[in-house]
Amino acid sequence: MQELILMKFIYTSQYDNCLTYRRIYLPPCGPDDLIKPGLFKGTYGSHGLEIVMLSFHGKKAKGTKITGDPNIPAGQQTVEIELAHPIRLPDIENLSNLSELSRIVLEVQEQVRREQQRQEEGAPEGKEPEGEGQAQRAPSPTEDGGAEASASGDGGATQDPPQPPQPFVLPGGIASRKEDYPRTCRACFYGTGLIAGHGFTSPEKTPGVFVLFDDDRFGFIWLELQSFSLYSRIKVAFQSAEAPSREAFDEMLKNIQLLTL
């Protein structure tokens, strides 16, 4: 926590910012949440540690920055996880190969893109045109592995029995601020991470991998940046921080994001 305070002091002293303070709520818990939502401290390369709020929204999970940096300010959504799209990691021998992991992730990215396109066109959710995507469904490691969320991809990842931990190692070429990351994980999911230039210019969502290690730690592999962020739960009790309702929490997320647009 001292490092977080120091990083924010350096940031605010270097830049002439007009600071705005708003009350935030802790995310509400749901029976199907992958893990307990809440506040986590995450590693962001040269930016150091930042606080991120993890919340669950049906088939998606969101990581919202509570503290920011010159590239992505506080209030913005740093990662978004597609819980309906688990990823089976390659064997430990092949996991060290970044190109193999990238191939798997890009396959899922294309599948997600097609699903979103069909939704925009009004097609029934989860139903693909005949012949489309069939080559990926049977042999693809991205459909039935990881957390084994659902054979049809319709449900959340928490509805099935817990899966045994699987070996995990960062692919070669992926930079990590912390070398003591866990060497086993529970599940992996396709996700996107928000990147931008200095001053939040040209923001862009890029593909990545959400890695669930345990109840208190998760990670995100940023493929385009070739870096890894490790997030650890902040175990501090906050008084009167619960949102009065799901609607109030969602409204708060929207409001803090608008502050930096």
Side-chain angles (χ1 to χ4, degrees), residues 88-97 100 104 141 166-167 169:
R88 174 187 291 169
L89 295 177
D91 295 335
I92 196 68
E93 294 80 8
N94 296 323
L95 182 56
S96 59
N97 186 344
E100 175 64 13
I104 294 173
Q166 54 182 317
V169 64

Side-chain angles (χ1 to χ4, degrees), residues 171-187:
I174 296 293
S176 173
R177 190 170 182 266
K178 282 184 173 290
E179 296 297 332
D180 57 345
Y181 61 87
R183 292 311 195 265
T184 60
C185 66
R186 288 187 189 173

